Amino acid sequence: MIQHLVDGILVGSFLSLGAIGLTMAMHILRFANFSHAELLSIGAYCALVFDKVFESLLPVLAAKIGPLSMTGALAISIVLSMAITGLSAVLIDRFIFQRVRQKGEELSMVFASFGMALIIRNIIGLVFGLSAELYSGDIAFAMILSRDPLLLVKPDQVFVLIAALILMFALHLVLSRTTFGFSLRAVAENPSLAQVHGVNLKRMIAAVWIIGGGLGAVAGIFYGLSYQITPVMGRDLVLPIFAATIVGGIGSVYGAVLGGFIVGIASNLALVILPSGYSPSVPFLMILAVLLVRPNGLFGEARA
Amino acid sequence: MIGVISYLVFFSTVAAILAIAVLGLNLQWGNTGLFNGGVVASFGAGAYGTLILGGTPQDGHLGGFDLFYPLALLGGMIFAGVLAWVVGKLTLRLRHDYLAIATFGVAVAFENVMRNATAVTGGAQGIRGFERPLQSLIGSGFTYNLVFLIAVLICLVLVYVFLERLTVSPFGRLLRAIREDETAARSLGKSPDKVRLAAFVTGSVIIGLAGSLYGTFYAFVSPQDVLPILTFQIWAMLIVGGAGNNKGAMAGAFLIWGSWTFSGWALSRFAPVEVQLYTGSIQFVLIGMVIVGMLLWRPQGLFPERLVVSQPGGGSRGKTQAEGLT
């Protein structure tokens, strides 16, 4: 039971990171982006490529940091991968979503995002093969936190949780303390009014994609560190991430953080009563439960 | 020669079944503007419902009620309708995204439950032991397939006529009114939530009918038949055909299903062996490109919606109007 709770918190850390970007894009661009989870795959595979490149160029970097299976090479790769994933999110928006946005309306974008998800996921499969990959071939041994009740945690998971919390705190500072953060929130509230006040809408939209892509990349890499990297990881993550945004309330960054942890914990606790085969259904049950009890989520506000 | 004909019959049967599903989706998306991200859940509900109700008793899973076939067919459709009602009731009054996400979730959960609830659905092995109606009378060869094709085509025509009537009826006008301007419709005393729910459930029942026929045709259904790709295929058919246009929707079904089977055949025939492993991925990329490409370059589809002017006296059809996906 406690083991499930701890696992849930660790899963929650990367679901939250994924959900933050999704909820921001859904709020500002007003569409449910079904291809958001593919940014996690792009990030994870980017880091995989850079990791291999750095390890072969500078063998020094291939050494592990402390008890982690993380290496210096991977640490640099994470930063590069964040940048590239953010950039690809901007490019996808520029070439696809923006053009669909001009022609149709919100729901056409949802269609387009489904199509993009299908394209990205399968191109990754074509390029990298359909089998699973790992950042490190070594087995990471779990630390025993307590024997009764038995509680196992991998060092990597602790790192993932702490790093995720630091990133979220950094984002919180940016959103609440900087002019940029205020402009972003102004655009989310009322795009035209924000423009009147001299906020550059295009730049803000690009910023949302960069933040969303960057955090998504980290989420994907952390998922890869905790489990494995597969071309279909986006398919498996899209529903839990959506559940996190709905539980938190669409548009609320803090809600997304909380929602991510709630969905992660709930999915793991559900294993106590449900056979593990049913765990993909749990996020859907959570969506239904939230819609029944509190349709706009924990922090969301009603908006047509 | 007989081989080609028998293949054509087989192909047309599947395409016509899918065309029924596309018509159902067209009622939801084309006429009402409802985004159904889980077409495959309604389709699967129809197939599983019919096979469980109409099958012969099997060890290991529920079913084998051996119901009279039309009742089993109806049961599958009702199952699809109930599922849609639950999702629609919860989401249709919220902003549009919720319906998209919830319907997508239904499809994921549906496949997941079908795969795991072995006692009810036969699990990964699926449901077998279904005897196709009239099979003892006609036999299971080419003649049966031909008769079945005719039956499916009759269903397709019935659904088409029903939807065409619906589109020009006051109810159809109401659907378009809500799609175009909900506030205006509300100000005229209409209640958009109820109307949308009715359209959503009706569309899902039609998709359920397609699923029932599909299950009946193969006399077998398994979780492999309810994978998300089916949703994408049915969408592609509607977007290519032209949302809002029933004839276009049917044409899109045959066109996309033809391209899908042709590309599969061509890849397995001409592609090198090591590429063949990736046949699925290549085809999925193509479907994605069809969807995105159409939205970018021809959002109204090959056969755009014909806006119907249904004023008393006039009754004439409006000009074809390139109006776009609404």
Side-chain angles (χ1 to χ4, degrees), chain A:
Chain A
M1 182 78 181
I2 294 182
Q3 179 72 54
H4 286 302
L5 190 67
V6 171
D7 287 344
I9 294 173
L10 300 169
V11 171
S13 59
F14 54 76
L15 288 186
S16 295
L17 286 177
I20 292 172
L22 180 60
T23 209
M24 285 171 81
M26 276 172 88
H27 196 47
I28 290 185
L29 299 170
R30 290 165 170 77
F31 83 109
N33 181 8
F34 278 84
S35 65
H36 189 80
E38 304 313 319
L39 294 176
L40 277 67
S41 317
I42 294 180
Y45 275 95
C46 257
L48 185 71
V49 172
F50 283 124
D51 186 38
K52 295 270 189 291
V53 170
F54 284 122
E55 276 185 9
S56 53
L57 284 181
L58 298 164
V60 194
L61 288 176
K64 291 197 164 53
I65 303 172
L68 306 174
S69 63
M70 172 97 164
T71 61
L74 187 56
I76 304 172
S77 309
I78 290 179
V79 179
L80 280 173
S81 162
M82 283 176 78
I84 291 189
T85 311
L87 194 69
S88 31
V90 173
L91 289 179
I92 292 170
D93 183 60
R94 186 83 14 116
F95 289 111
I96 309 291
F97 293 143
Q98 204 173 352
R99 295 171 65 185
V100 175
R101 199 152 59 224
Q102 282 157 359
K103 291 208 171 187
E105 42 114 45
E106 293 162 27
L107 286 172
S108 303
M109 308 251 296
V110 182
F111 265 120
S113 76
F114 261 107
M116 280 315 292
L118 207 55
I119 295 174
I120 297 171
R121 187 183 305 154
N122 287 290
I123 286 184
I124 289 179
L126 287 173
V127 173
F128 292 94
L130 301 174
S131 49
E133 307 265 357
L134 291 169
Y135 289 117
S136 156
D138 302 338
I139 298 163
F141 289 101
M143 301 183 295
I144 300 167
L145 286 189
S146 88
R147 289 199 180 274
D148 185 41
L150 187 63
L151 202 53
L152 299 170
V153 175
K154 286 186 207 160
D156 281 345
Q157 295 178 309
V158 179
F159 163 75
V160 163
L161 179 63
I162 294 171
L165 290 176
I166 292 175
L167 269 173
M168 289 172 203
F169 186 66
L171 182 69
H172 161 73
L173 289 182
V174 169
L175 288 181
S176 61
R177 303 285 153 87
T178 62
T179 321
F180 167 75
F182 286 129
S183 325
L184 206 58
R185 279 158 50 191
V187 168
E189 282 304 314
N190 188 336
S192 11
L193 196 59
Q195 268 182 305
V196 171
H197 285 262
V199 175
N200 186 333
L201 188 61
K202 272 194 170 162
R203 204 173 290 163
M204 284 299 136
I205 290 178
V208 166
W209 285 116
I210 288 175
I211 294 174
L215 295 180
V218 180
I221 296 165
F222 287 178
Y223 176 89
L225 272 175
S226 310
Y227 305 101
Q228 54 190 10
I229 315 157
T230 68
V232 294
M233 57 190 267
R235 185 196 67 194
D236 299 335
L237 282 167
V238 63
L239 197 57
I241 292 177
F242 266 122
T245 61
I246 288 188
V247 169
I250 293 176
S252 163
V253 171
Y254 306 108
V257 172
L258 198 62
F261 283 106
I262 291 176
V263 171
I265 292 169
S267 311
N268 274 277
L269 285 184
L271 295 177
V272 178
I273 38 172
L274 281 177
S276 64
Y278 288 104
S279 57
S281 299
V282 175
F284 172 65
L285 292 179
M286 301 212 50
I287 292 176
L288 283 193
V290 169
L291 291 180
L292 265 177
V293 182
R294 204 180 152 81
N296 292 305
L298 295 174
F299 295 102
E301 43 200 87
R303 200 173 72 174

